[in-house]
């Protein structure tokens, strides 16, 4: 990054007064300086940490939740359903609210509050031994969680567009993965300690554990406050108005989204469908097809996420340096296709395929999401990201059910072939993406 | 990329070839089912005992299946190269002593191959370490096995299905564990190639019959009880046995199961199989299973047995000079959280027949999806590539024209 370029950071039309101000600021406090952006990035990353940490609390405590609340697997899965289904609409709304009503700063703080509140209700439900309250908690948590991700994306574009944007998206992805990995490894241990302290396992133990998990949400809320302050300060110093361009945004703007944005949406859905449902259903596949033990199967299943944590910032950096996001997305799709074909049609060591899958997943995530910022005007960014998240949620919810029933009736080969077909559709979509951009 | 495409094309070609072979297996037998053939009063079998004879008439051969639950339940397969061969029973002798020769298939010179499968014991063990592997379980963890020869079988009323060539036998032990429980065998004979709707949907043909064994409602003797089924194969001494496990990438007929185990018997001087027992290493924990109700199973190594199994059928048919081998099938997998006590049901299916065991092939649907799914992007790449190349040539031509 050249220095000259950096100075265009948040300023489109330079004012004379700015130079005076910046002379008195150390690089860390100067909104135009790289160092300051790194500081902002730090808070931006930890903004999502709490929600990613708490999102997978139920999965990490699956046996304990089922036992303590005396549930069966189906009712346990409701905890995820109550998070996901409302989000099909809500995070679209959340994006719109960010753009139109609250503005990014207030919006982020409100969503962080929702996340914290939801987790507290969730924990309270466990303490009081009311499962409906836990579901309500997940619902409230969901309202905040997904919209918070939208806010995070919008913040990233506001601060980093035209600079290290791909890298930033990569970093955010790795923070998300870090959040869930830390959760998976730590929360069971926390539960064990509390069980040892209280002397018995039960819904109270579960409740206390979840309350402790809520502290990560509080931490994220603090990040949101700091970020809001820094953003306001930067705006004052740089005399940049926050998301106000004079244009009024309406929900009906959606129909005026450029064609290439719709293509990006389709890429997003078709790709994630071939990743997440497979990881969700993959354990038995590795046990049966490759004679893995349960432990090995769990390990190989999580390797995609483990790889993506360090790989996505690196790959993001690479994409930043080279540009050409679409070609990178295409490459990611092709390598994903290859790894699914390896899994489906060969008995090759599945570690090869899964590592490849992890790399291509990180590459896609950090090349695809910033593309939205190139095709949508800045004042619609929140709406666009919210819509993308909505469509992704909808696609995943529907396709997960489809994948489940394909597996139930036709088995893994058929499921893999279904994923391969999805990826092929995506590849075609990608090509039209490329040609529509060329025009 | 190339190797991938090649292997894919290969698999497509092979798949479709096999698929058509599989679909085109038009070999049929005329199957008829008979209970206790030739049994007339005053001779009678003890209550519950029955001898089922299934006769499969081919163009120039006959395949006899005999199922009998006098003693340990057994299925005897006899292949003859005559269309006239018949089963002869000396009933009083068979009922009283089951001495050798009281059951014959005549003319004896037409018999080309015979073998029997006997279910001898049901093992129950306390799986304290949750390994689901009886081989790794201490002997002290085993409960006394249920001897299937001591089972009391219910009468056949209503369990004979002549049109589908199916018969179900259910038996129980005298102990309290079997108060509400039973061990059942569903025997099916097939006229031609096909699959059962119910999992594991083994591919069968006119040369095979199928036994589904299930254990329902038995009170386990411990909370962590798991079961294993012991069975033995009896054959003429000129044959030897081997258990092969074959892997396949295709699990569309039995979701999540990629292996098939086959216990083949072949003559000492050749390797071609004459007879087989084939099963997929899966058991189901519900009568109408969904995906989660499948549990893997495991078989122990083949061991040679010297004692003739306590089955009337085997004793009455075979002369001396026998080859007897046994193995156990155990249900469950290492760290499997579900024990027998959770569902009180487990079922397992085995296919028994002569000749080579049938082999699965890709279904036409999957081949079409692969062909369309991969063909379209490939076609687009090629067409697109040609298009770009042509356009480049055209524009290049126009660019360089003035210079020329």
């Amino acid at each position: 990054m050249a220095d000259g370029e950096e100075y265009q950071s948040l300023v489109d039309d330079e004012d004379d007064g700015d130079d005076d101000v910046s002379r008195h600021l150390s690089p860390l406090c100067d909104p135009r300086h790289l160092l300051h952006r790194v500081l902002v990035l730090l808070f931006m990353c930890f903004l999502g940490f709490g929600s990613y940490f708490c999102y997978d609390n139920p999965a990490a405590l699956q046996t304990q939740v089922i036992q303590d609340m005396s549930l069966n697997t189906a009712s346990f899965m409701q905890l995820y359903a109550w998070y996901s289904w409302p989000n099909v609409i809500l995070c679209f709304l959340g994006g719109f609210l960010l753009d139109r009503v609250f503005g990014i700063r207030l919006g982020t703080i409100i969503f962080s509050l929702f996340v914290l509140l939801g987790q507290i209700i969730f924990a309270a439900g466990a303490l009081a031994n009311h499962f409906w309250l836990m579901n309500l908690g997940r619902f409230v948590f969901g309202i905040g969680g997904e919209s918070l991700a939208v806010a995070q994306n919008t913040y990233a574009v506001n601060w980093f567009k035209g600079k290290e944007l791909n890298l930033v998206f990569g970093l955010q992805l790795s923070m998300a993965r870090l959040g869930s990995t830390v959760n998976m490894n730590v929360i069971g241990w926390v539960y064990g300690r509390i069980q040892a302290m209280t002397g018995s396992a039960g819904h109270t133990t579960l409740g206390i554990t979840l309350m402790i998990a809520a502290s990560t949400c509080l931490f994220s809320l603090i990040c949101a406050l700091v970020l809001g302050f820094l953003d306001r300060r930067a705006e004052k110093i740089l005399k940049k108005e926050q998301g106000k361009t004079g244009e009024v945004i309406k929900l009906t703007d959606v129909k005026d989204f450029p064609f290439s944005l719709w293509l990006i949406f389709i890429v997003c859905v078709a790709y994630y469908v071939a990743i997440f449902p497979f990881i969700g259903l993959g354990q038995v596949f590795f046990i049966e097809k490759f004679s893995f033990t349960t432990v090995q199967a769990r390990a190989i299943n999580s390797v995609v996420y483990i790889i993506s944590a360090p790989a996505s910032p690196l790959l993001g950096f690479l994409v930043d340096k080279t540009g050409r996001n679409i070609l990178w997305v295409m490459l990611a799709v092709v390598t994903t296709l290859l790894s699914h074909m390896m899994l489906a049609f060969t008995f090759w060591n599945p570690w090869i395929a899964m590592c490849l899958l992890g790399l291509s997943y990180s590459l896609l995530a950090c090349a695809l999401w910033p593309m939205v910022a190139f095709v949508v005007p800045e004042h619609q960014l929140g709406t666009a990201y919210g819509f993308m998240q909505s469509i992704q949620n909808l696609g995943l919810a529907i396709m997960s059910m489809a994948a489940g029933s394909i597996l139930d009736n036709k088995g893994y080969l058929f499921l893999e072939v279904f994923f391969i077909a999805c990826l092929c559709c995506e590849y075609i979509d990608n090509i039209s993406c490329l040609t529509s951009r060329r025009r | 990329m190339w190797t991938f495409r090649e292997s894919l094309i290969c698999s497509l070609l092979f798949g479709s070839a096999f698929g058509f072979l599989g679909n085109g297996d038009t070999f049929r037998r005329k199957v008829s089912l008979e209970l206790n053939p030739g049994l007339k009063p005053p001779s009678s079998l003890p209550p519950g005992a029955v001898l089922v004879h299934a006769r499969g008439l081919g163009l120039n051969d006959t395949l006899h299946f005999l199922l009998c639950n006098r003693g340990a339940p057994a299925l005897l397969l006899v292949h003859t190269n005559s269309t006239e061969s018949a089963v002869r029973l000396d009933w009083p002798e068979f009922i009283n002593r089951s001495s050798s020769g009281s059951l014959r298939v005549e003319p004896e010179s037409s018999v080309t191959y015979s073998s029997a499968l006997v279910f001898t014991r049901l093992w129950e063990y306390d799986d304290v370490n949750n390994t689901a592997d009886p081989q790794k379980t201490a002997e002290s963890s085993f409960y006394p096995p249920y001897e299937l020869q001591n089972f009391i079988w219910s009468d056949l009323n209503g369990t004979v299905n002549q049109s589908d060539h199916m018969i179900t036998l259910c038996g129980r032990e005298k102990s309290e564990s079997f108060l509400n429980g039973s061990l059942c065998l569903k025997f099916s004979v097939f006229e031609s190639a096909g699959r059962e709707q119910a999992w594991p949907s083994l591919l069968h043909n006119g040369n095979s019959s199928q036994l589904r064994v299930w254990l329902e409602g038995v009170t386990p003797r411990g909370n962590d009880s798991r079961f294993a089924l012991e069975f033995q194969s009896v054959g003429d001494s000129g044959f030897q046995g081997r258990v092969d496990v074959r892997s396949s990438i295709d699990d569309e007929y039995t979701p999540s199961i990629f292996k098939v185990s086959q216990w083949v018997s072949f003559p000492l001087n050749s390797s071609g199989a004459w007879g087989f027992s084939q099963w997929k290493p899966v058991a189901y924990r519900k009568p109408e299973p969904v995906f989660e109700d499948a549990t893997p199973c495991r078989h122990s190594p083949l061991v040679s047995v010297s004692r003739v199994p306590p089955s009337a059928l085997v004793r009455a048919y075979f002369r001396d000079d026998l080859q007897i081998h046994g193995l156990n099938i155990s249900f469950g997998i290492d760290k499997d959280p579900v024990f027998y006590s959770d569902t009180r049901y487990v079922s397992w299916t085995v296919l028994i027949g002569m000749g080579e065991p049938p082999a699965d092939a890709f279904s036409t649907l999957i081949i079409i999806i692969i062909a369309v799914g991969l063909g379209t992007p490939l076609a687009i790449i090629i067409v697109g590539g040609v298009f770009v190349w042509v356009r480049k040539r055209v524009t290049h031509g126009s660019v360089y024209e003035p210079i020329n």
Side-chain angles (χ1 to χ4, degrees), chain B residues 106-179:
Chain B
E106 290 181 336
E108 276 186 48
S109 57
S110 69
V111 174
T112 54
Y113 175 75
S114 50
S115 83
L117 197 71
V118 190
F119 293 95
T120 44
R121 278 192 196 100
L122 182 66
W123 293 95
E124 183 180 355
Y125 62 99
D126 190 19
D127 194 11
V128 273
N129 298 329
N130 201 359
T131 57
D133 189 352
Q135 311 249 239
K136 287 183 192 155
T137 309
E139 231 169 89
S140 56
S141 298
F142 279 87
Y143 298 103
Y146 297 111
E147 298 283 347
L148 265 59
Q149 55 173 317
N150 300 333
F151 272 41
I152 299 157
W153 299 86
S154 9
D155 277 330
L156 262 183
N157 297 340
T159 49
V160 187
N161 194 332
Q162 279 287 357
S163 57
D164 294 344
H165 314 304
M166 260 189 251
I167 267 182
T168 307
L169 302 173
C170 285
R172 64 192 70 216
E173 225 227 1
K174 269 169 277 182
S175 69
E176 279 203 352
S177 306
F178 276 86
L179 215 54

Side-chain angles (χ1 to χ4, degrees), chain B residues 106-263:
Chain B
E106 290 181 336
E108 276 186 48
S109 57
S110 69
V111 174
T112 54
Y113 175 75
S114 50
S115 83
L117 197 71
V118 190
F119 293 95
T120 44
R121 278 192 196 100
L122 182 66
W123 293 95
E124 183 180 355
Y125 62 99
D126 190 19
D127 194 11
V128 273
N129 298 329
N130 201 359
T131 57
D133 189 352
Q135 311 249 239
K136 287 183 192 155
T137 309
E139 231 169 89
S140 56
S141 298
F142 279 87
Y143 298 103
Y146 297 111
E147 298 283 347
L148 265 59
Q149 55 173 317
N150 300 333
F151 272 41
I152 299 157
W153 299 86
S154 9
D155 277 330
L156 262 183
N157 297 340
T159 49
V160 187
N161 194 332
Q162 279 287 357
S163 57
D164 294 344
H165 314 304
M166 260 189 251
I167 267 182
T168 307
L169 302 173
C170 285
R172 64 192 70 216
E173 225 227 1
K174 269 169 277 182
S175 69
E176 279 203 352
S177 306
F178 276 86
L179 215 54
N180 297 314
S182 55
L183 176 97
C184 294
L185 296 168
K186 187 167 117 185
F187 171 64
S188 330
V189 202
F190 308 107
E191 289 194 318
S192 58
R195 289 174 195 282
E196 258 192 358
Q197 193 69 36
W199 290 340
S201 305
L202 295 175
L203 176 65
H204 57 70
N205 57 24
N207 286 333
S208 56
S209 66
Q210 181 177 287
L211 274 175
R212 176 172 299 228
V213 187
W214 69 91
L215 187 66
E216 190 174 13
V218 178
T219 314
R221 287 175 276 188
N223 277 339
D224 299 343
S225 270
R226 291 191 194 281
F227 286 91
L229 188 65
E230 176 188 289
F231 64 101
Q232 297 179 2
S233 150
V234 184
D236 290 321
S237 56
F239 288 86
Q240 53 185 350
R242 180 181 71 217
V243 180
D244 296 329
V245 179
R246 289 203 178 174
S247 294
S248 143
I249 60 164
D250 192 0
D251 70 331
E252 54 183 312
Y253 302 107
T254 321
S256 86
I257 303 303
F258 295 88
K259 293 193 181 74
V260 59
S261 306
Q262 41 207 36
W263 183 353

Side-chain angles (χ1 to χ4, degrees), chain A residues 263-326:
Chain A
L263 292 178
I264 292 175
F265 289 165
I266 296 172
V267 172
C268 174
V269 171
Y271 188 84
Y272 283 95
V273 158
I275 299 279
F276 291 119
F278 174 70
I279 291 173
L281 300 167
Q283 243 186 56
V284 179
F285 178 68
F286 296 113
I287 293 176
E288 291 292 344
K289 184 167 179 180
F290 300 99
S291 312
F292 275 34
T293 64
T294 321
V295 180
Q296 283 174 316
R298 211 172 282 153
I300 194 172
N301 221 9
S302 58
V303 79
V304 171
Y305 294 149
I306 292 171
I307 285 186
S308 79
S312 24
L314 291 177
L315 290 168
F317 182 70
L318 184 72
V319 178
D320 274 329
K321 281 288 166 205
T322 55
R324 296 182 189 276
N325 285 44
I326 295 185

